[in-house]
Amino acid sequence: MAIDPALVGTELPATTLTVDAGRLRFFAKAIGETNPVYTDAEAAKAAGYRDLPVPPTFLFAIELDGPNPFEFVEKAGVDLRFVLHGEQSFIYHSPAVAGDVLVATPRITDVYSKKGGALEFLVKVTAVTRVDGSAVADLKSIIVVRNPGAGK
């Protein structure tokens, strides 16, 4: 089933997350980050941060906190068995730190296909802000959907 291009411009439900210092330490450990700025509040403050800074890729975790982070894909009629992670990129506006309350507001920005419809692409851009509206980052992710029967 082809992804409906009318999805472009669709805003998805926002997710809010209070950044927890313990979770940041765990994330830093999980990704092998050894810089004490990411695990020691005093080292972070000595480096000029208000508290532990959010590691660069942590922001994608905000959207994964929801009960079904891939609900929008399912609602688009996509069979999750054929989904691949295509790409992700970040544009950073300001650092977030432990204690910040962040809001992730995603929207679908593009839908296109290649190889005669055998591969479809769903592009989502998420604006991450603090609750006061100040910009933290823009996250872009591309999901690739294989359509085994298409393009033959």
Side-chain angles (χ1 to χ4, degrees):
M1 180 174 139
I3 300 173
D4 186 354
L7 289 173
V8 174
T10 301
E11 292 200 17
L12 304 171
T15 304
T16 302
L17 173 76
T18 300
V19 180
D20 176 72
R23 190 170 174 178
L24 292 179
R25 287 185 188 97
F26 181 77
F27 186 85
K29 183 178 180 182
I31 63 172
E33 179 59 64
T34 59
N35 185 335
V37 164
Y38 293 104
T39 55
D40 180 337
E42 293 308 315
K45 290 175 183 171
Y49 295 101
R50 289 180 284 119
D51 206 320
L52 295 178
V54 170
T57 58
F58 178 84
L59 294 173
F60 270 112
I62 298 171
E63 294 180 280
L64 297 176
D65 262 13
N68 184 359
F70 299 102
E71 182 178 21
F72 74 99
V73 179
E74 293 171 347
K75 284 185 174 179
V78 172
D79 184 336
L80 292 176
R81 294 176 302 164
F82 299 104
V83 170
L84 303 169
H85 172 71
E87 176 183 327
Q88 66 185 36
S89 60
F90 309 82
I91 298 172
Y92 297 102
H93 303 292
S94 64
V97 298
D100 282 351
V101 179
L102 304 178
V103 180
T105 307
R107 80 185 146 81
I108 306 299
T109 60
D110 201 4
V111 172
Y112 58 94
S113 65
K114 293 185 176 180
K115 300 194 181 259
L119 297 174
E120 293 188 285
F121 298 79
L122 183 69
V123 182
K124 178 174 59 107
V125 173
T126 301
V128 179
T129 62
R130 289 178 194 79
V131 288
D132 67 3
S134 58
V136 173
D138 294 317
L139 319 175
K140 180 179 176 182
S141 65
I142 300 176
I143 294 170
V144 181
V145 181
R146 294 182 303 118
N147 290 317
K152 292 185 177 178

